[in-house]
């Protein structure tokens, strides 16, 4: 079993509601907490989105890929600007 398979198995057991609420909490905390703390939280969220995008890339449609890359880029830009 590859690490990607292991990640997808664990991810499939997560409730969609719990994943949404967790991501929303991380996003809001990252945006409202000052400086490096907020930047780190946004970085954690970006890493999670990057891992999800990487592992699901082959099965996503081109419009979904574009949306994910744009959102990932915006999240990384927000984290970097928050850190500076």
């Amino acid at each position: 079993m590859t690490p990607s398979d292991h990640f997808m198995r664990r991810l499939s057991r997560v409730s969609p509601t719990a994943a949404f609420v967790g991501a929303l909490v991380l996003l809001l905390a990252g945006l409202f907490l000052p400086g490096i703390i907020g930047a780190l939280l946004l970085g954690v969220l970006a890493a999670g989105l990057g891992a999800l995008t990487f592992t699901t890339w082959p099965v996503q449609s081109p419009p979904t890929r574009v949306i994910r890359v744009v959102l990932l880029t915006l999240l990384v830009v927000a984290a970097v600007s928050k850190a500076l």
Side-chain angles (χ1 to χ4, degrees):
M1 179 165 29
T2 66
S4 173
D5 292 336
H6 180 67
F7 176 75
M8 292 306 289
R9 283 182 198 255
R10 289 188 63 196
L11 190 60
S12 69
R13 286 185 254 150
V14 175
S15 159
T17 304
F20 174 77
V21 170
L24 183 62
V25 166
L26 269 178
L27 177 65
L28 292 175
L31 291 174
F32 288 113
L33 287 173
I36 195 71
I37 296 169
L40 286 174
L41 291 176
L42 292 175
V44 166
L45 189 58
L49 181 59
L52 182 65
T53 299
F54 177 76
T55 56
T56 61
W57 190 266
V59 296
Q60 297 301 319
S61 65
T64 304
R65 291 177 182 176
V66 170
I67 291 169
R68 286 198 179 177
V69 169
V70 168
L71 288 175
L72 184 58
T73 303
L74 289 173
L75 198 53
V76 169
V77 166
V80 169
S81 67
K82 190 86 165 165
L84 298 177

